[in-house]
Amino acid sequence: MQPLDLDQLLASSVDVDNAIDSTPDIDPWCSSVDWTVPVHRAFAPEAEPLILEGATGFATLARYQTAEGAELIAGLEPLWGFASPLLGSDHAATAAELATVLVDDRRWSILAIPGLPSVQTTVMAIARELAVLGDVGLQEGITRQLIDLTEGSNAWLQRRSAKFRRNLRNAQRRGRELGLDFEIIDHAPDLFERIHAIERTSWKGAQGDGITSPEMSMFYRAISQQLQATGRARCVVATVDGTDVGYILGGIRNDRYRGLQLSYAAEAGSLSLGHLLQLHEIHRMSASNVTTYDMGMDMEYKQRMADSPMTSVMLVVRRDTTGYVQRS
């Protein structure tokens, strides 16, 4: 496999996207460079990338240090584990290529491959290829919630409970009475500055959370700029009498929309802006032929809006220090 650095990975984004699109049952949005590179640069700039391009696909990894001082090789995305580092139509073949590289690499102690599909036959095939490196274990991954827009936003709305729909109608009525409006700022040059200012007025901003912390600010600035550069940023600001009171930021990849961040001013909490902003984008995405709205990490309120969960798993290899393990 041929090593690449981050800039070379970005330059190969078309080939990476093709590999992602051919990889079954992974999170195609967060496995892309739109997500992995900004997250890595914001949260793990000191970690050495280990990016490999092979005959069957890509492995997008990095080297980290554990608290005990051991070297951990894991996904380029260092936080959540949404992204699959194995990209290609045959997971097992890409894993086999990776194993031939790592078997002679004496630096690492643990290999973690997150973001893998929870399909037993697929996981077992990958595990068999990685078993040449040491003991392989299976761990739970992360669950995200998905909205199905295949039949449109109205069909999605009809699948919600009568109480949910009634609450939405009441919130829409209150919003109209107070002059609530929604402004699309997908291409606005001041997109990040505007949503950052809104965030500072929210409960997240008051706690130094959301996109106001240094690392999160760096990440969201980078990802919004990257999405804008390719025309795939989606952002809406909620206003009351011309004053910004909330926003929702996301991005498009093929027929999939990924929600990235949503926030609103603390004094606007009674307007149900979270649901109204989501509803606005559900209608907008449906009208633009989006079929899947990925709400991100599983949370209780998302379960009421989503149609199905998507759960991944992680394989962890603890290397065999005695040498190459022959498969039976």
Side-chain angles (χ1 to χ4, degrees):
M1 300 186 88
Q2 179 70 29
L4 305 174
D5 60 26
L6 286 176
D7 290 332
Q8 290 171 323
L9 180 68
L10 287 169
S12 302
S13 60
V14 172
D15 292 333
V16 175
D17 280 345
N18 289 337
I20 291 169
D21 290 339
S22 72
T23 310
D25 304 316
I26 64 167
D27 180 335
W29 211 104
C30 289
S31 297
S32 73
V33 297
D34 286 336
W35 176 267
T36 57
V37 173
V39 174
H40 182 83
R41 284 177 165 165
F43 293 97
E46 75 291 344
E48 176 188 345
L50 178 61
I51 305 166
L52 302 167
E53 180 180 6
T56 62
F58 293 83
T60 54
L61 301 154
R63 300 178 187 270
Y64 306 91
Q65 294 295 314
T66 69
E68 295 75 25
E71 180 171 284
L72 163 70
I73 293 178
L76 194 61
E77 174 211 298
L79 290 182
W80 301 284
F82 288 114
S84 169
L86 299 181
L87 307 176
S89 59
D90 187 337
H91 288 96
T94 307
E97 283 198 272
L98 175 63
T100 62
V101 174
L102 295 185
V103 71
D104 295 322
D105 184 334
R106 309 310 300 177
R107 294 169 56 183
W108 66 276
S109 298
I110 304 169
L111 169 66
I113 307 291
L116 296 175
S118 53
V119 179
Q120 184 175 8
T121 54
T122 300
V123 175
M124 293 305 296
I126 298 170
R128 281 194 296 271
E129 300 298 340
L130 297 179
V132 300
L133 300 173
D135 295 328
V136 183
L138 180 66
Q139 294 187 12
E140 291 183 1
I142 194 165
T143 297
R144 71 279 285 165
Q145 290 292 338
L146 307 180
I147 290 173
D148 180 5
L149 293 176
T150 304
E151 298 178 353
S153 57
N154 289 332
W156 165 81
L157 194 57
Q158 288 304 309
R159 292 194 297 271
R160 311 281 67 81
S161 70
K163 179 180 178 181
F164 184 92
R165 298 196 303 271
R166 182 173 62 253
N167 288 342
L168 270 183
R169 289 194 299 270
N170 291 338
Q172 289 175 307
R173 186 186 67 253
R174 288 196 305 272
R176 286 192 297 269
E177 291 170 352
L178 293 173
L180 179 65
D181 199 3
F182 298 96
E183 180 185 352
I184 296 172
I185 63 166
D186 300 343
H187 309 292
D190 63 343
L191 182 154
F192 179 77
E193 286 73 20
R194 196 162 168 188
I195 66 173
H196 193 269
I198 296 169
E199 189 87 334
R200 290 198 300 269
T201 68
S202 72
W203 66 265
K204 296 178 185 179
Q207 297 179 5
D209 202 352
I211 67 171
T212 59
S213 68
E215 294 85 359
M216 282 291 190
S217 182
M218 181 185 300
F219 167 57
Y220 280 104
R221 180 186 293 276
I223 199 169
S224 60
Q225 290 176 344
Q226 190 160 308
L227 289 170
Q228 282 190 301
T230 56
R232 293 185 289 111
R234 298 293 181 268
C235 189
V236 168
V237 168
T239 65
V240 173
D241 294 332
T243 300
D244 292 351
V245 293
Y247 75 89
I248 182 169
L249 172 69
I252 293 286
R253 186 179 185 279
N254 298 332
D255 61 353
R256 193 182 190 98
Y257 170 85
R258 176 55 152 84
L260 296 173
Q261 192 63 264
L262 180 154
S263 195
Y264 48 84
E267 63 269 21
S270 62
L271 292 177
S272 300
L273 274 182
H275 281 149
L276 291 179
L277 284 162
Q278 294 276 14
L279 180 64
H280 184 280
E281 290 302 76
I282 287 169
H283 285 314
R284 183 161 77 117
M285 294 307 109
S286 176
S288 61
N289 299 317
V290 165
T291 60
T292 301
Y293 184 152
D294 184 343
M295 301 185 75
M297 188 179 298
D298 185 25
M299 295 180 183
E300 185 179 353
Y301 84 89
K302 295 178 184 179
Q303 294 172 12
R304 294 191 292 271
M305 302 186 73
D307 292 299
S308 63
M310 177 183 178
T311 301
S312 60
V313 298
M314 178 167 64
L315 287 175
V316 178
V317 183
R318 298 187 180 276
R319 79 166 305 142
D320 174 65
T321 57
T322 63
Y324 194 89
V325 179
Q326 295 293 334
R327 284 175 292 179
S328 57

